[in-house]
Amino acid sequence: MEEKKHSEEHLGPAREYWWNEDYLELLAERLHIRYIQTLVDIGCGKGMMGFKFSKYMPDDGKVYGVDYEPGYIAEARQRAQSEYGHKNIDYEFKVGNATDIPLPDDIADVTLCQTLLIHVKNPQRVIQEMIRVTKPGGWVVALEPNNLVPNLMFDRYGETDYNVEAMLEVLEVKLRIEKGKKQLGEGFNSLGDVVPDLFLKAGLQDMKVWISDKALSIIPPYDTQEKMLRVEQMMQWIETEAMGYDYQDNLNYFMAGGGDKDKFDAYWQKLLYNKIMLKEKLQKEEYVSAGGSLVYIVAAQKPR
């Protein structure tokens, strides 16, 4: 069986709709992308953010992408040729680690990462590497979420008559999983809130903080490409063990976060039941979700 790549369940076609295009244009304006020569994307996956921002770069610009998955880098290279070969932008994708970026010092006008810092053991080390490859006066940008927030969001009005104790039980599980994952050195999934603190500690200046305006909504009828891809992704998650979450991994996180196996197993049984109900609603086009999320864009300059 082929080993699963990092974040594989999140790198399908639905990822292309993570951002509103007019918002990316606004970000490009804020970061002066039209005047830069070199952009570097760390943890680039299949190259999406580099491709999206490159449309605002001047001709003869250069985009580097770095990821430790050779399969993703191969796909990014292929896309650069087949989809973006007509542009006067030079794309170069490299296999490499975010803690030891295979690029020289002071090469980038903008160095960015998206949902990378939430997965690393030492985000401060990664930020220092991003600073190293950025030119003095250049921008270091992190696009990172708080993934705990959606646990306090409701999809349907009926859910607002919630049972407080039942909700607290779920929140305890989620908090312990998050804590345990960090304890085991696999990152902190809700790191977005603290990126400004990390940037300050790294010595970055002139910091800006924004929030994405994108909601990943699913509203009947499922009649657009975006909604259909999102529903397809959810159906794929449902067909896995439990919504894309592995029992043993999450049990390990929960226990490392101070949890008790019996409590986790009770939670897991409810999760398995809920996924059956969710599948039925999706198939009947009855599932409704505003799709709210909290994704920060934190940008700061390397001192001159």
mmCIF file of all heavy atoms in Angstrom, residues 6 11 15 40-50 64-68 72-73 76 92-94 112-114 116:
data_model
loop_
_atom_site.group_PDB
_atom_site.id
_atom_site.type_symbol
_atom_site.label_atom_id
_atom_site.label_comp_id
_atom_site.label_asym_id
_atom_site.label_seq_id
_atom_site.Cartn_x
_atom_site.Cartn_y
_atom_site.Cartn_z
ATOM 1 N N HIS A 6 1.672 13.863 2.967
ATOM 2 C CA HIS A 6 1.162 14.816 3.950
ATOM 3 C C HIS A 6 0.003 15.616 3.356
ATOM 4 O O HIS A 6 0.032 16.025 2.186
ATOM 5 C CB HIS A 6 2.277 15.747 4.442
ATOM 6 C CG HIS A 6 2.654 16.855 3.506
ATOM 7 N ND1 HIS A 6 1.930 18.031 3.410
ATOM 8 C CD2 HIS A 6 3.671 16.983 2.627
ATOM 9 C CE1 HIS A 6 2.485 18.827 2.519
ATOM 10 N NE2 HIS A 6 3.534 18.219 2.020
ATOM 11 N N LEU A 11 -5.553 18.233 -0.569
ATOM 12 C CA LEU A 11 -4.889 18.757 -1.758
ATOM 13 C C LEU A 11 -5.574 18.341 -3.058
ATOM 14 O O LEU A 11 -4.938 18.304 -4.110
ATOM 15 C CB LEU A 11 -3.407 18.330 -1.774
ATOM 16 C CG LEU A 11 -2.503 19.078 -0.792
ATOM 17 C CD1 LEU A 11 -1.089 18.534 -0.842
ATOM 18 C CD2 LEU A 11 -2.482 20.564 -1.081
ATOM 19 N N ARG A 15 -9.301 22.351 -3.272
ATOM 20 C CA ARG A 15 -8.351 23.316 -2.696
ATOM 21 C C ARG A 15 -8.210 24.559 -3.579
ATOM 22 O O ARG A 15 -7.865 25.643 -3.095
ATOM 23 C CB ARG A 15 -6.988 22.650 -2.497
ATOM 24 C CG ARG A 15 -6.010 23.500 -1.662
ATOM 25 C CD ARG A 15 -4.663 22.798 -1.551
ATOM 26 N NE ARG A 15 -3.700 23.548 -0.760
ATOM 27 C CZ ARG A 15 -3.468 23.383 0.533
ATOM 28 N NH1 ARG A 15 -4.187 22.504 1.210
ATOM 29 N NH2 ARG A 15 -2.540 24.076 1.162
ATOM 30 N N VAL A 40 8.843 33.140 -3.258
ATOM 31 C CA VAL A 40 9.169 31.791 -2.798
ATOM 32 C C VAL A 40 8.008 31.254 -1.965
ATOM 33 O O VAL A 40 7.519 31.934 -1.055
ATOM 34 C CB VAL A 40 10.470 31.786 -1.951
ATOM 35 C CG1 VAL A 40 10.686 30.425 -1.290
ATOM 36 C CG2 VAL A 40 11.669 32.151 -2.819
ATOM 37 N N ASP A 41 7.558 30.035 -2.281
ATOM 38 C CA ASP A 41 6.450 29.383 -1.567
ATOM 39 C C ASP A 41 7.007 28.139 -0.873
ATOM 40 O O ASP A 41 7.435 27.185 -1.534
ATOM 41 C CB ASP A 41 5.343 29.012 -2.562
ATOM 42 C CG ASP A 41 4.135 28.361 -1.901
ATOM 43 O OD1 ASP A 41 4.069 28.343 -0.650
ATOM 44 O OD2 ASP A 41 3.255 27.871 -2.637
ATOM 45 N N ILE A 42 6.999 28.154 0.457
ATOM 46 C CA ILE A 42 7.540 27.042 1.246
ATOM 47 C C ILE A 42 6.408 26.110 1.676
ATOM 48 O O ILE A 42 5.378 26.558 2.153
ATOM 49 C CB ILE A 42 8.283 27.570 2.495
ATOM 50 C CG1 ILE A 42 9.348 28.590 2.093
ATOM 51 C CG2 ILE A 42 8.913 26.403 3.273
ATOM 52 C CD1 ILE A 42 10.401 28.066 1.154
ATOM 53 N N GLY A 43 6.624 24.793 1.517
ATOM 54 C CA GLY A 43 5.543 23.834 1.747
ATOM 55 C C GLY A 43 4.496 24.002 0.663
ATOM 56 O O GLY A 43 3.294 24.016 0.931
ATOM 57 N N CYS A 44 4.969 24.123 -0.580
ATOM 58 C CA CYS A 44 4.111 24.570 -1.682
ATOM 59 C C CYS A 44 3.098 23.536 -2.151
ATOM 60 O O CYS A 44 2.192 23.864 -2.918
ATOM 61 C CB CYS A 44 4.977 24.992 -2.866
ATOM 62 S SG CYS A 44 5.877 23.624 -3.649
ATOM 63 N N GLY A 45 3.232 22.260 -1.708
ATOM 64 C CA GLY A 45 2.322 21.239 -2.215
ATOM 65 C C GLY A 45 2.433 21.149 -3.723
ATOM 66 O O GLY A 45 3.525 21.018 -4.289
ATOM 67 N N LYS A 46 1.303 21.289 -4.400
ATOM 68 C CA LYS A 46 1.270 21.196 -5.864
ATOM 69 C C LYS A 46 1.422 22.565 -6.541
ATOM 70 O O LYS A 46 1.118 22.727 -7.710
ATOM 71 C CB LYS A 46 -0.029 20.524 -6.298
ATOM 72 C CG LYS A 46 -0.174 19.105 -5.735
ATOM 73 C CD LYS A 46 -1.518 18.483 -6.069
ATOM 74 C CE LYS A 46 -1.651 17.105 -5.425
ATOM 75 N NZ LYS A 46 -2.968 16.491 -5.723
ATOM 76 N N GLY A 47 1.872 23.557 -5.762
ATOM 77 C CA GLY A 47 2.248 24.839 -6.340
ATOM 78 C C GLY A 47 1.154 25.890 -6.409
ATOM 79 O O GLY A 47 1.357 26.951 -7.005
ATOM 80 N N MET A 48 0.004 25.622 -5.768
ATOM 81 C CA MET A 48 -1.168 26.471 -5.975
ATOM 82 C C MET A 48 -0.923 27.952 -5.700
ATOM 83 O O MET A 48 -1.235 28.809 -6.532
ATOM 84 C CB MET A 48 -2.334 25.990 -5.113
ATOM 85 C CG MET A 48 -3.615 26.777 -5.340
ATOM 86 S SD MET A 48 -4.936 26.348 -4.190
ATOM 87 C CE MET A 48 -4.487 27.343 -2.779
ATOM 88 N N MET A 49 -0.372 28.302 -4.534
ATOM 89 C CA MET A 49 -0.261 29.717 -4.179
ATOM 90 C C MET A 49 0.735 30.444 -5.075
ATOM 91 O O MET A 49 0.534 31.607 -5.427
ATOM 92 C CB MET A 49 0.113 29.883 -2.708
ATOM 93 C CG MET A 49 -0.968 29.424 -1.739
ATOM 94 S SD MET A 49 -2.606 30.120 -2.089
ATOM 95 C CE MET A 49 -2.399 31.806 -1.531
ATOM 96 N N GLY A 50 1.804 29.778 -5.456
ATOM 97 C CA GLY A 50 2.753 30.385 -6.375
ATOM 98 C C GLY A 50 2.102 30.693 -7.718
ATOM 99 O O GLY A 50 2.312 31.773 -8.293
ATOM 100 N N TYR A 64 9.704 30.293 -6.968
ATOM 101 C CA TYR A 64 10.251 29.038 -6.447
ATOM 102 C C TYR A 64 9.203 28.380 -5.553
ATOM 103 O O TYR A 64 8.526 29.066 -4.769
ATOM 104 C CB TYR A 64 11.492 29.288 -5.586
ATOM 105 C CG TYR A 64 12.722 29.734 -6.315
ATOM 106 C CD1 TYR A 64 13.053 31.084 -6.380
ATOM 107 C CD2 TYR A 64 13.578 28.804 -6.902
ATOM 108 C CE1 TYR A 64 14.208 31.511 -7.026
ATOM 109 C CE2 TYR A 64 14.732 29.228 -7.569
ATOM 110 C CZ TYR A 64 15.036 30.573 -7.621
ATOM 111 O OH TYR A 64 16.172 30.994 -8.263
ATOM 112 N N GLY A 65 9.087 27.059 -5.636
ATOM 113 C CA GLY A 65 8.257 26.294 -4.712
ATOM 114 C C GLY A 65 9.088 25.196 -4.084
ATOM 115 O O GLY A 65 9.888 24.541 -4.778
ATOM 116 N N VAL A 66 8.940 24.994 -2.777
ATOM 117 C CA VAL A 66 9.697 23.960 -2.063
ATOM 118 C C VAL A 66 8.721 23.097 -1.265
ATOM 119 O O VAL A 66 7.859 23.618 -0.550
ATOM 120 C CB VAL A 66 10.735 24.591 -1.104
ATOM 121 C CG1 VAL A 66 11.451 23.513 -0.292
ATOM 122 C CG2 VAL A 66 11.733 25.441 -1.873
ATOM 123 N N ASP A 67 8.843 21.776 -1.406
ATOM 124 C CA ASP A 67 8.028 20.839 -0.624
ATOM 125 C C ASP A 67 8.831 19.552 -0.456
ATOM 126 O O ASP A 67 9.629 19.195 -1.320
ATOM 127 C CB ASP A 67 6.707 20.535 -1.331
ATOM 128 C CG ASP A 67 5.661 19.964 -0.383
ATOM 129 O OD1 ASP A 67 5.736 18.765 -0.048
ATOM 130 O OD2 ASP A 67 4.773 20.732 0.041
ATOM 131 N N TYR A 68 8.601 18.845 0.651
ATOM 132 C CA TYR A 68 9.389 17.630 0.868
ATOM 133 C C TYR A 68 8.781 16.390 0.219
ATOM 134 O O TYR A 68 9.375 15.305 0.265
ATOM 135 C CB TYR A 68 9.677 17.401 2.358
ATOM 136 C CG TYR A 68 8.522 16.908 3.208
ATOM 137 C CD1 TYR A 68 8.088 15.589 3.168
ATOM 138 C CD2 TYR A 68 7.903 17.764 4.114
ATOM 139 C CE1 TYR A 68 7.065 15.131 3.978
ATOM 140 C CE2 TYR A 68 6.876 17.329 4.930
ATOM 141 C CZ TYR A 68 6.459 16.009 4.855
ATOM 142 O OH TYR A 68 5.432 15.568 5.657
ATOM 143 N N TYR A 72 4.388 15.704 -5.077
ATOM 144 C CA TYR A 72 3.764 17.018 -5.238
ATOM 145 C C TYR A 72 4.624 17.915 -6.133
ATOM 146 O O TYR A 72 4.100 18.651 -6.975
ATOM 147 C CB TYR A 72 3.583 17.702 -3.883
ATOM 148 C CG TYR A 72 2.557 17.052 -2.970
ATOM 149 C CD1 TYR A 72 2.573 17.297 -1.601
ATOM 150 C CD2 TYR A 72 1.581 16.198 -3.471
ATOM 151 C CE1 TYR A 72 1.643 16.716 -0.757
ATOM 152 C CE2 TYR A 72 0.652 15.607 -2.625
ATOM 153 C CZ TYR A 72 0.690 15.869 -1.268
ATOM 154 O OH TYR A 72 -0.230 15.291 -0.434
ATOM 155 N N ILE A 73 5.940 17.850 -5.933
ATOM 156 C CA ILE A 73 6.839 18.675 -6.748
ATOM 157 C C ILE A 73 6.736 18.275 -8.223
ATOM 158 O O ILE A 73 6.708 19.132 -9.115
ATOM 159 C CB ILE A 73 8.291 18.557 -6.242
ATOM 160 C CG1 ILE A 73 8.432 19.235 -4.868
ATOM 161 C CG2 ILE A 73 9.276 19.149 -7.239
ATOM 162 C CD1 ILE A 73 8.127 20.713 -4.855
ATOM 163 N N ALA A 76 3.582 19.806 -9.531
ATOM 164 C CA ALA A 76 3.734 21.258 -9.700
ATOM 165 C C ALA A 76 4.535 21.567 -10.966
ATOM 166 O O ALA A 76 4.179 22.474 -11.734
ATOM 167 C CB ALA A 76 4.426 21.860 -8.475
ATOM 168 N N GLU A 92 10.207 27.324 -10.728
ATOM 169 C CA GLU A 92 11.189 26.296 -10.360
ATOM 170 C C GLU A 92 10.755 25.648 -9.043
ATOM 171 O O GLU A 92 10.602 26.338 -8.031
ATOM 172 C CB GLU A 92 12.591 26.905 -10.223
ATOM 173 C CG GLU A 92 13.666 25.867 -9.973
ATOM 174 C CD GLU A 92 15.073 26.444 -10.010
ATOM 175 O OE1 GLU A 92 15.257 27.543 -10.583
ATOM 176 O OE2 GLU A 92 15.992 25.809 -9.454
ATOM 177 N N PHE A 93 10.550 24.338 -9.093
ATOM 178 C CA PHE A 93 10.076 23.613 -7.916
ATOM 179 C C PHE A 93 11.151 22.642 -7.441
ATOM 180 O O PHE A 93 11.739 21.907 -8.240
ATOM 181 C CB PHE A 93 8.776 22.876 -8.243
ATOM 182 C CG PHE A 93 7.630 23.809 -8.525
ATOM 183 C CD1 PHE A 93 7.297 24.146 -9.834
ATOM 184 C CD2 PHE A 93 6.904 24.378 -7.488
ATOM 185 C CE1 PHE A 93 6.259 25.024 -10.101
ATOM 186 C CE2 PHE A 93 5.871 25.257 -7.744
ATOM 187 C CZ PHE A 93 5.544 25.583 -9.051
ATOM 188 N N LYS A 94 11.394 22.658 -6.132
ATOM 189 C CA LYS A 94 12.477 21.868 -5.548
ATOM 190 C C LYS A 94 11.958 21.001 -4.399
ATOM 191 O O LYS A 94 11.103 21.440 -3.621
ATOM 192 C CB LYS A 94 13.559 22.785 -4.970
ATOM 193 C CG LYS A 94 14.329 23.624 -5.999
ATOM 194 C CD LYS A 94 15.209 24.649 -5.260
ATOM 195 C CE LYS A 94 16.175 25.341 -6.207
ATOM 196 N NZ LYS A 94 17.374 24.536 -6.478
ATOM 197 N N LEU A 112 6.467 33.067 1.271
ATOM 198 C CA LEU A 112 5.194 32.764 1.927
ATOM 199 C C LEU A 112 5.062 31.280 2.238
ATOM 200 O O LEU A 112 5.775 30.437 1.670
ATOM 201 C CB LEU A 112 4.021 33.238 1.067
ATOM 202 C CG LEU A 112 3.782 32.573 -0.293
ATOM 203 C CD1 LEU A 112 2.917 31.315 -0.162
ATOM 204 C CD2 LEU A 112 3.093 33.540 -1.256
ATOM 205 N N CYS A 113 4.156 30.980 3.143
ATOM 206 C CA CYS A 113 3.756 29.595 3.405
ATOM 207 C C CYS A 113 2.265 29.585 3.703
ATOM 208 O O CYS A 113 1.711 30.562 4.203
ATOM 209 C CB CYS A 113 4.548 28.980 4.562
ATOM 210 S SG CYS A 113 4.209 29.724 6.178
ATOM 211 N N GLN A 114 1.618 28.478 3.364
ATOM 212 C CA GLN A 114 0.190 28.314 3.640
ATOM 213 C C GLN A 114 -0.029 26.983 4.347
ATOM 214 O O GLN A 114 0.401 25.936 3.861
ATOM 215 C CB GLN A 114 -0.623 28.336 2.337
ATOM 216 C CG GLN A 114 -2.102 28.033 2.573
ATOM 217 C CD GLN A 114 -2.939 28.066 1.304
ATOM 218 O OE1 GLN A 114 -3.820 28.890 1.158
ATOM 219 N NE2 GLN A 114 -2.660 27.155 0.381
ATOM 220 N N LEU A 116 1.394 25.551 6.667
ATOM 221 C CA LEU A 116 2.650 24.831 6.878
ATOM 222 C C LEU A 116 3.041 24.853 8.350
ATOM 223 O O LEU A 116 3.341 23.811 8.942
ATOM 224 C CB LEU A 116 3.767 25.461 6.036
ATOM 225 C CG LEU A 116 5.193 25.006 6.378
ATOM 226 C CD1 LEU A 116 5.392 23.547 5.973
ATOM 227 C CD2 LEU A 116 6.233 25.898 5.717
#
